[in-house]
Amino acid sequence: MTFILNEIAMQAPFFIGLAGEPDIRVAEETPADVGARENLLDAAFGPARREKTAERLREGRLPAQGLALVMKDSEQLVGTLRMWKILAGETPALLLGPLAIASAYRSRGLGRRLTAEALFRAVAAGHNAILLVGDAPYYEPFGFSRRHTLGLSLPGPVDEARFLGLEIKPGALKGAKGLVAAAGAHDWEAYGGSADYRRAA
Ligand SMILES: CC(C)(COP(=O)(O)OP(=O)(O)OC[C@H]1O[C@@H](n2cnc3c(N)ncnc32)[C@H](O)[C@@H]1OP(=O)(O)O)[C@@H](O)C(=O)NCCC(=O)NCCS
């Protein structure tokens, strides 16, 4: 299945409503979600998740405004996806991740739904480009490609085949080169300095 970004932008709400699971919804994350989200991430990635190079771009920062999303089945948190402001060399962009769906809910299309919803919101918020470190077979159908990150490097080791980019605005990553750096607001600037929120990657 191949999605084209403009189609996602145009049709995401319709697409999201297609799954026929009316109790499952996407919402912006709140501090009350932190505990369940942390448990989900621990189960999905294990304790080594904080050693990931992408974490160097997230630690100490807040997610991009409106782009920390959770998926819930009634009140139970079953999915999470965040995006973060970064500088790709000199180009403002977002970093997507982590994405996780609770194991009991996988292979029902929920990961794609949550990703599509996040992309839709990123487009609507006027962002120009998105980077991620993840499995190409999962993200390429959304338009992510290694070719957009060839001039860029991350602040730590990474399997380069998993370092992917997506241009929301055509050409946004053309010529982007240099180090990718965190650009989000520092985490003490919101949520009343909540320690629970700060420890959430
Ligand atoms: C990856 C993840 C978010 C997918 O969630 P999901 O709700 O199961 O995804 P969907 O139902 O939308 O899509 C499932 C399809 O994606 C495929 N898929 C799942 N993980 C994949 C991966 N890492 N690489 C390639 N394809 C993958 C499955 O084979 C499945 O294909 P099928 O429907 O033909 O069986 C979920 O498996 C998860 O949380 N994994 C642990 C954390 C993780 O790896 N996060 C992503 C980091 S790149």
PDB file of all heavy atoms in Angstrom, residues 90-108:
ATOM      1  N   GLU A  90      20.870  23.342   8.631  1.00  0.00           N
ATOM      2  CA  GLU A  90      20.240  24.646   8.883  1.00  0.00           C
ATOM      3  C   GLU A  90      18.746  24.626   8.579  1.00  0.00           C
ATOM      4  O   GLU A  90      18.084  25.669   8.626  1.00  0.00           O
ATOM      5  CB  GLU A  90      20.942  25.720   8.040  1.00  0.00           C
ATOM      6  CG  GLU A  90      22.393  25.909   8.452  1.00  0.00           C
ATOM      7  CD  GLU A  90      23.095  26.977   7.642  1.00  0.00           C
ATOM      8  OE1 GLU A  90      22.477  27.525   6.702  1.00  0.00           O
ATOM      9  OE2 GLU A  90      24.265  27.240   7.948  1.00  0.00           O
ATOM     10  N   THR A  91      18.223  23.468   8.245  1.00  0.00           N
ATOM     11  CA  THR A  91      16.822  23.374   7.818  1.00  0.00           C
ATOM     12  C   THR A  91      15.917  22.984   8.985  1.00  0.00           C
ATOM     13  O   THR A  91      16.089  21.905   9.568  1.00  0.00           O
ATOM     14  CB  THR A  91      16.685  22.301   6.705  1.00  0.00           C
ATOM     15  OG1 THR A  91      17.583  22.630   5.643  1.00  0.00           O
ATOM     16  CG2 THR A  91      15.262  22.236   6.180  1.00  0.00           C
ATOM     17  N   PRO A  92      14.943  23.810   9.339  1.00  0.00           N
ATOM     18  CA  PRO A  92      14.006  23.409  10.400  1.00  0.00           C
ATOM     19  C   PRO A  92      13.189  22.205   9.962  1.00  0.00           C
ATOM     20  O   PRO A  92      12.697  22.154   8.834  1.00  0.00           O
ATOM     21  CB  PRO A  92      13.100  24.648  10.562  1.00  0.00           C
ATOM     22  CG  PRO A  92      13.836  25.764   9.908  1.00  0.00           C
ATOM     23  CD  PRO A  92      14.672  25.151   8.824  1.00  0.00           C
ATOM     24  N   ALA A  93      13.066  21.242  10.856  1.00  0.00           N
ATOM     25  CA  ALA A  93      12.332  20.017  10.525  1.00  0.00           C
ATOM     26  C   ALA A  93      11.806  19.404  11.822  1.00  0.00           C
ATOM     27  O   ALA A  93      11.970  19.971  12.905  1.00  0.00           O
ATOM     28  CB  ALA A  93      13.254  19.039   9.784  1.00  0.00           C
ATOM     29  N   LEU A  94      11.141  18.263  11.662  1.00  0.00           N
ATOM     30  CA  LEU A  94      10.668  17.485  12.810  1.00  0.00           C
ATOM     31  C   LEU A  94      11.388  16.148  12.833  1.00  0.00           C
ATOM     32  O   LEU A  94      11.764  15.620  11.775  1.00  0.00           O
ATOM     33  CB  LEU A  94       9.162  17.226  12.687  1.00  0.00           C
ATOM     34  CG  LEU A  94       8.234  18.433  12.784  1.00  0.00           C
ATOM     35  CD1 LEU A  94       6.820  18.046  12.345  1.00  0.00           C
ATOM     36  CD2 LEU A  94       8.221  18.995  14.204  1.00  0.00           C
ATOM     37  N   LEU A  95      11.530  15.601  14.015  1.00  0.00           N
ATOM     38  CA  LEU A  95      11.956  14.208  14.197  1.00  0.00           C
ATOM     39  C   LEU A  95      10.743  13.415  14.649  1.00  0.00           C
ATOM     40  O   LEU A  95      10.083  13.787  15.627  1.00  0.00           O
ATOM     41  CB  LEU A  95      13.048  14.133  15.260  1.00  0.00           C
ATOM     42  CG  LEU A  95      13.551  12.721  15.571  1.00  0.00           C
ATOM     43  CD1 LEU A  95      14.478  12.227  14.456  1.00  0.00           C
ATOM     44  CD2 LEU A  95      14.285  12.691  16.915  1.00  0.00           C
ATOM     45  N   LEU A  96      10.432  12.324  13.938  1.00  0.00           N
ATOM     46  CA  LEU A  96       9.296  11.470  14.314  1.00  0.00           C
ATOM     47  C   LEU A  96       9.786  10.322  15.195  1.00  0.00           C
ATOM     48  O   LEU A  96      10.738   9.638  14.862  1.00  0.00           O
ATOM     49  CB  LEU A  96       8.634  10.933  13.053  1.00  0.00           C
ATOM     50  CG  LEU A  96       7.353  10.097  13.210  1.00  0.00           C
ATOM     51  CD1 LEU A  96       6.524  10.166  11.924  1.00  0.00           C
ATOM     52  CD2 LEU A  96       7.639   8.638  13.549  1.00  0.00           C
ATOM     53  N   GLY A  97       9.119  10.098  16.316  1.00  0.00           N
ATOM     54  CA  GLY A  97       9.421   8.942  17.148  1.00  0.00           C
ATOM     55  C   GLY A  97       9.502   9.307  18.616  1.00  0.00           C
ATOM     56  O   GLY A  97       9.644  10.474  18.943  1.00  0.00           O
ATOM     57  N   PRO A  98       9.361   8.364  19.496  1.00  0.00           N
ATOM     58  CA  PRO A  98       9.093   6.958  19.198  1.00  0.00           C
ATOM     59  C   PRO A  98       7.624   6.713  18.838  1.00  0.00           C
ATOM     60  O   PRO A  98       6.743   7.431  19.298  1.00  0.00           O
ATOM     61  CB  PRO A  98       9.443   6.246  20.508  1.00  0.00           C
ATOM     62  CG  PRO A  98       9.223   7.275  21.568  1.00  0.00           C
ATOM     63  CD  PRO A  98       9.543   8.601  20.945  1.00  0.00           C
ATOM     64  N   LEU A  99       7.439   5.665  18.033  1.00  0.00           N
ATOM     65  CA  LEU A  99       6.101   5.156  17.697  1.00  0.00           C
ATOM     66  C   LEU A  99       5.975   3.769  18.299  1.00  0.00           C
ATOM     67  O   LEU A  99       6.849   2.923  18.096  1.00  0.00           O
ATOM     68  CB  LEU A  99       5.950   5.059  16.176  1.00  0.00           C
ATOM     69  CG  LEU A  99       4.803   4.168  15.651  1.00  0.00           C
ATOM     70  CD1 LEU A  99       3.443   4.766  15.993  1.00  0.00           C
ATOM     71  CD2 LEU A  99       4.935   3.959  14.143  1.00  0.00           C
ATOM     72  N   ALA A 100       4.935   3.543  19.046  1.00  0.00           N
ATOM     73  CA  ALA A 100       4.695   2.189  19.567  1.00  0.00           C
ATOM     74  C   ALA A 100       3.202   1.945  19.714  1.00  0.00           C
ATOM     75  O   ALA A 100       2.433   2.847  20.065  1.00  0.00           O
ATOM     76  CB  ALA A 100       5.385   1.996  20.921  1.00  0.00           C
ATOM     77  N   ILE A 101       2.823   0.724  19.423  1.00  0.00           N
ATOM     78  CA  ILE A 101       1.451   0.239  19.624  1.00  0.00           C
ATOM     79  C   ILE A 101       1.528  -0.955  20.586  1.00  0.00           C
ATOM     80  O   ILE A 101       2.406  -1.816  20.441  1.00  0.00           O
ATOM     81  CB  ILE A 101       0.826  -0.206  18.276  1.00  0.00           C
ATOM     82  CG1 ILE A 101       0.746   0.967  17.276  1.00  0.00           C
ATOM     83  CG2 ILE A 101      -0.556  -0.842  18.492  1.00  0.00           C
ATOM     84  CD1 ILE A 101      -0.233   2.067  17.638  1.00  0.00           C
ATOM     85  N   ALA A 102       0.628  -0.996  21.537  1.00  0.00           N
ATOM     86  CA  ALA A 102       0.601  -2.111  22.505  1.00  0.00           C
ATOM     87  C   ALA A 102       0.500  -3.442  21.760  1.00  0.00           C
ATOM     88  O   ALA A 102      -0.232  -3.556  20.763  1.00  0.00           O
ATOM     89  CB  ALA A 102      -0.578  -1.947  23.454  1.00  0.00           C
ATOM     90  N   SER A 103       1.226  -4.437  22.249  1.00  0.00           N
ATOM     91  CA  SER A 103       1.364  -5.689  21.486  1.00  0.00           C
ATOM     92  C   SER A 103       0.005  -6.321  21.172  1.00  0.00           C
ATOM     93  O   SER A 103      -0.206  -6.866  20.086  1.00  0.00           O
ATOM     94  CB  SER A 103       2.277  -6.668  22.218  1.00  0.00           C
ATOM     95  OG  SER A 103       1.799  -6.891  23.519  1.00  0.00           O
ATOM     96  N   ALA A 104      -0.940  -6.231  22.093  1.00  0.00           N
ATOM     97  CA  ALA A 104      -2.253  -6.854  21.866  1.00  0.00           C
ATOM     98  C   ALA A 104      -3.048  -6.144  20.768  1.00  0.00           C
ATOM     99  O   ALA A 104      -4.083  -6.666  20.321  1.00  0.00           O
ATOM    100  CB  ALA A 104      -3.064  -6.858  23.161  1.00  0.00           C
ATOM    101  N   TYR A 105      -2.598  -4.965  20.361  1.00  0.00           N
ATOM    102  CA  TYR A 105      -3.347  -4.171  19.370  1.00  0.00           C
ATOM    103  C   TYR A 105      -2.643  -4.106  18.015  1.00  0.00           C
ATOM    104  O   TYR A 105      -3.071  -3.374  17.128  1.00  0.00           O
ATOM    105  CB  TYR A 105      -3.560  -2.754  19.908  1.00  0.00           C
ATOM    106  CG  TYR A 105      -4.629  -2.688  20.984  1.00  0.00           C
ATOM    107  CD1 TYR A 105      -4.362  -3.061  22.293  1.00  0.00           C
ATOM    108  CD2 TYR A 105      -5.915  -2.268  20.668  1.00  0.00           C
ATOM    109  CE1 TYR A 105      -5.336  -3.008  23.271  1.00  0.00           C
ATOM    110  CE2 TYR A 105      -6.906  -2.211  21.637  1.00  0.00           C
ATOM    111  CZ  TYR A 105      -6.612  -2.588  22.936  1.00  0.00           C
ATOM    112  OH  TYR A 105      -7.597  -2.538  23.895  1.00  0.00           O
ATOM    113  N   ARG A 106      -1.540  -4.831  17.857  1.00  0.00           N
ATOM    114  CA  ARG A 106      -0.764  -4.718  16.616  1.00  0.00           C
ATOM    115  C   ARG A 106      -1.417  -5.453  15.451  1.00  0.00           C
ATOM    116  O   ARG A 106      -2.283  -6.300  15.630  1.00  0.00           O
ATOM    117  CB  ARG A 106       0.661  -5.251  16.857  1.00  0.00           C
ATOM    118  CG  ARG A 106       1.443  -4.304  17.754  1.00  0.00           C
ATOM    119  CD  ARG A 106       2.867  -4.765  17.999  1.00  0.00           C
ATOM    120  NE  ARG A 106       3.442  -3.958  19.086  1.00  0.00           N
ATOM    121  CZ  ARG A 106       4.517  -4.279  19.777  1.00  0.00           C
ATOM    122  NH1 ARG A 106       5.164  -5.388  19.485  1.00  0.00           N
ATOM    123  NH2 ARG A 106       4.943  -3.502  20.750  1.00  0.00           N
ATOM    124  N   SER A 107      -0.949  -5.078  14.248  1.00  0.00           N
ATOM    125  CA  SER A 107      -1.411  -5.684  12.986  1.00  0.00           C
ATOM    126  C   SER A 107      -2.907  -5.498  12.757  1.00  0.00           C
ATOM    127  O   SER A 107      -3.566  -6.342  12.153  1.00  0.00           O
ATOM    128  CB  SER A 107      -1.034  -7.177  12.929  1.00  0.00           C
ATOM    129  OG  SER A 107       0.361  -7.303  12.826  1.00  0.00           O
ATOM    130  N   ARG A 108      -3.433  -4.382  13.269  1.00  0.00           N
ATOM    131  CA  ARG A 108      -4.824  -3.998  12.984  1.00  0.00           C
ATOM    132  C   ARG A 108      -4.863  -2.667  12.243  1.00  0.00           C
ATOM    133  O   ARG A 108      -5.929  -2.062  12.117  1.00  0.00           O
ATOM    134  CB  ARG A 108      -5.600  -3.864  14.301  1.00  0.00           C
ATOM    135  CG  ARG A 108      -5.850  -5.211  14.968  1.00  0.00           C
ATOM    136  CD  ARG A 108      -6.165  -5.115  16.429  1.00  0.00           C
ATOM    137  NE  ARG A 108      -7.324  -4.284  16.773  1.00  0.00           N
ATOM    138  CZ  ARG A 108      -7.849  -4.213  18.002  1.00  0.00           C
ATOM    139  NH1 ARG A 108      -7.330  -4.928  18.983  1.00  0.00           N
ATOM    140  NH2 ARG A 108      -8.880  -3.441  18.246  1.00  0.00           N
TER     141      ARG A 108
END
